[in-house]
Amino acid sequence: MIRTRFAPSPTGFLHIGGARTALFAWAYARRHGGQFILRIEDTDVARSTPEAVQAILDGMAWLGLEYDEGPYYQMQRMDRYKEVIRQMLAAGSAYPCYTSADELEAMREAQRSRNEKPRYDGCWRPETGKRLPAPPAGVLPAVRFRNPAEGVVAWHDLVKGPITIANAELDDFVIARGDGTPTYNFCVVVDDWDMKISHVIRGDDHVNNTPRQINLFKALGAPLPEYGHLSMILGDDGQKLSKRHGAVSVMQYQEEGYLPEAVLNYLARLGWSHGDAETFSMGEFCSWFDLDHITASAAQFNTEKLNWLNAHYLKQADDSRLATETLRRLAGQGVDGSGCADLPRVMALYKGRVANLNELADAAHPFIVAVHPSPELLAQHLSDPVRAALRTLLAKLLDANWEAPALSQAIKETLLQHGIKMPQLAIPLRVVLLAQPQSPAIDAVLEVLGREAVCGRINSVLV
RNA sequence: GACCCUAUCGUCUAGAGGCCUAGGACAAUACCCUUUCACGGUAUGAACCCGGGUUCGAAUCCCGGUGGGGUCGCCA
């Protein structure tokens, strides 16, 4: 049974990189008929917040990344961690360390000044024939893992291929703090073991944790999972993403009017490919997804391509779904569009012309409430001959058969009578009706706007 | 600084030694469509980081350099 997991720490929103990691882990499980588990890694009590947990859950839900198990919370598994730590202490694969934070910092500083890799010096590590210092009074020791001193840790990474790291590069890392709470590298291993995770799919930033975790698995006598490390996502500008620079919540994409299927499709193609396939459903994605076609190098985020995908999915989106979205966005602006029965028709008219849901809502606005073109706009477009033509048109519209072909006919007759060309009438008409000189085909706009609004708005500029 | 990973158009990528005169997509440019603006259609420009090997043959394999990314916490 393939079991993958997504294990975010609740110290902030679900950002785009985390979302892609979750997507790939989710897709891998789906592809192989396996299970996808959500685990909240909240052992950093100082930085974890319930708001962040909720933000992560919201982000997953919006994207439709459903999990088969969880969410598990590490803070609820303390007893299990402490039990394992006791066992390791008893077995000698872990030991108490009384070095203080200040001493560690001084140690690292000295090492850095000598251009050495900063690391714990192992002074409390028990060795046969070695005399350990006397434990200082009143100090609660941290617990360190007794990492093998020699040899190498090697694994075949599912996306990067063979990776080898010498144990000499690794120091004895802390698995439990002075207060007894376990730390990340330790909890991950116990959890992945207990939860029977078969494939650990996670970000590139964990490559250097992997050998430590593998050594822990071995010390525990636990079976090793497979590992696959996804490269990072860089910002639009090629710079790395951070909370301060460019990293935004997936929920912000929702606010900005992106459809979840567009974000998902974009993320899927960022670092993964299936030949020339550019647009595909999540069903297709799950049936195609494999780790062999993941790029091993970092990928730069490209908002313009996301925009294109969003426009693509907007064109295919169901009109009533778009109407619901539009209503929600309009309500956010204090506009109640619930009385507009023709909203789906407005959506049909505009969904092929906009890049996001906010633009769609803006476009729908004049169909719901009367617009007031600025005096400048009116002055620019409403000359006396135009007013005369509008007067003629208004008379025709008052008793026209209210369907696009008949409306188009009325406009063409007006054009003929006044000896003007289509743009000379259509553009002022757009300004009068919608307060902007561009719109979809004018007869379609008239049809959807309705006789009352059209005639009323024309009349209001003629009096 | 040390260690690990990585390198094809501006960007995302195809490419598993001959199918490559390097393909697709976004973006760009031009033209077409048109009732305005979009959409759409057609076309064009645009890349194998550098240097050595291996091979009859290298974008593809190996080594080195350089660039980029990651990690060096009692954070995750």
Side-chain angles (χ1 to χ4, degrees):
Chain A
M1 169 66 90
I2 301 284
R3 284 168 64 86
T4 64
R5 44 62 157 194
F6 177 54
S9 68
T11 54
F13 45 65
L14 176 64
H15 57 82
I16 213 70
R20 189 188 58 156
T21 302
L23 172 64
F24 284 13
W26 172 84
Y28 193 75
R30 289 288 173 274
R31 167 77 164 85
H32 293 96
Q35 289 166 332
F36 175 61
I37 290 115
L38 178 63
R39 183 171 78 220
I40 305 294
E41 309 218 325
D42 53 359
T43 53
D44 184 354
V45 184
R47 294 198 301 156
S48 298
T49 66
E51 291 75 27
V53 171
Q54 194 53 50
I56 289 163
L57 262 23
D58 289 347
M60 302 275 292
W62 183 61
L63 291 173
L65 299 178
E66 292 172 344
Y67 35 91
D68 304 295
E69 277 180 32
Y72 293 112
Y73 294 86
Q74 290 187 322
M75 285 309 282
Q76 294 174 6
R77 290 174 43 78
M78 277 303 139
D79 293 348
R80 169 63 175 150
Y81 303 138
K82 288 183 177 169
E83 175 202 336
V84 176
I85 286 167
R86 267 196 303 277
Q87 288 170 1
M88 290 180 72
L89 246 11
S93 55
Y95 60 90
C97 167
Y98 294 86
T99 310
S100 71
D102 288 346
E103 288 171 321
L104 282 170
E105 190 41 51
M107 190 187 297
R108 290 193 197 102
E109 199 42 57
Q111 286 160 334
R112 263 190 287 266
S113 69
R114 277 178 267 136
N115 264 341
E116 289 169 17
K117 189 169 182 161
R119 68 218 303 183
Y120 174 63
D121 65 1
C123 70
W124 292 93
R125 175 178 169 123
E127 302 283 7
T128 43
K130 174 181 171 186
R131 274 193 60 187
L132 260 26
V139 175
L140 288 169
V143 178
R144 286 184 185 269
F145 173 60
R146 201 170 186 285
N147 195 76
E150 291 168 358
V152 297
V153 182
W155 77 95
H156 188 93
D157 195 271
L158 266 11
V159 344
K160 291 179 182 292
I163 299 179
T164 304
I165 293 175
N167 273 320
E169 294 295 328
L170 275 23
D171 62 0
D172 288 351
F173 58 98
V174 169
I175 59 176
R177 304 178 178 94
D179 65 5
T181 58
T183 62
Y184 167 76
N185 276 112
F186 175 77
C187 296
V188 167
V189 168
V190 175
D191 287 348
D192 285 342
W193 178 25
D194 287 353
M195 296 172 194
K196 297 183 168 53
I197 302 303
S198 65
H199 293 71
V200 174
I201 295 170
R202 72 210 324 185
D204 218 351
D205 47 337
H206 289 290
V207 168
N208 290 281
N209 288 323
T210 305
R212 301 177 202 281
Q213 293 176 12
I214 288 176
N215 282 335
L216 255 178
F217 270 103
K218 287 179 176 165
L220 259 16
L224 287 177
E226 300 279 339
Y227 288 97
H229 289 95
L230 273 19
S231 59
M232 305 276 90
I233 297 176
L234 272 28
D236 248 333
D237 53 3
Q239 297 298 300
K240 63 178 174 179
L241 251 25
S242 69
K243 288 203 176 72
R244 222 190 77 263
H245 179 86
V248 296
S249 163
V250 296
M251 296 314 281
Q252 190 173 328
Y253 288 93
Q254 180 195 36
E255 284 170 34
E256 289 175 4
Y258 291 95
L259 257 15
E261 58 264 47
V263 173
L264 250 8
N265 194 154
Y266 179 74
L267 252 21
R269 277 289 287 108
L270 196 58
W272 176 84
S273 60
H274 183 72
D276 287 341
E278 292 289 349
T279 59
F280 41 78
S281 69
M282 280 301 102
E284 288 170 315
F285 179 53
C286 287
S287 71
W288 294 336
F289 186 70
D290 59 41
L291 266 9
D292 298 334
H293 290 85
I294 292 184
T295 313
S297 56
Q300 191 170 318
F301 195 89
N302 186 227
T303 304
E304 293 191 320
K305 189 159 184 181
L306 204 213
N307 289 343
W308 170 76
L309 273 167
N310 202 46
H312 169 82
Y313 283 107
L314 238 18
K315 285 185 194 92
Q316 324 193 313
D318 180 70
D319 294 335
S320 57
R321 171 190 177 197
L322 294 176
T324 304
E325 279 291 339
T326 294
L327 247 22
R328 216 168 57 75
R329 279 158 208 277
L330 252 18
Q333 301 169 25
V335 177
D336 177 15
S338 58
C340 179
D342 284 338
L343 204 49
R345 293 174 71 202
V346 177
M347 300 293 96
L349 217 46
Y350 279 92
K351 68 181 180 183
R353 316 165 52 83
V354 296
N356 61 61
L357 291 169
N358 291 332
E359 288 183 16
L360 194 56
D362 288 345
H365 204 162
F367 288 81
I368 291 161
V369 295
V371 293
H372 302 286
S374 67
E376 296 78 37
L377 208 50
L378 287 177
Q380 189 186 338
H381 292 279
L382 285 193
S383 60
D384 286 341
V386 167
R387 283 173 196 275
L390 283 176
R391 204 161 269 122
T392 304
L393 180 64
L394 177 58
K396 293 180 191 295
L397 293 180
L398 250 12
D399 56 10
N401 180 16
W402 208 261
E403 282 174 354
L407 298 170
S408 180
Q409 188 55 37
I411 292 171
K412 282 175 179 156
E413 287 170 12
T414 306
L415 258 27
L416 226 51
Q417 287 175 25
H418 289 260
I420 55 177
K421 298 286 187 194
M422 179 64 96
Q424 293 173 278
L425 181 59
I427 292 176
L429 196 48
R430 290 184 170 99
V431 168
V432 169
L433 298 175
L434 307 169
Q436 55 182 20
Q438 295 95 33
S439 84
I442 192 67
D443 49 352
V445 168
L446 259 62
E447 184 184 83
V448 175
L449 248 185
R451 193 193 313 267
E452 192 184 335
V454 170
C455 293
R457 291 179 199 186
I458 293 175
N459 192 53
S460 73
V461 298
L462 293 180
V463 292

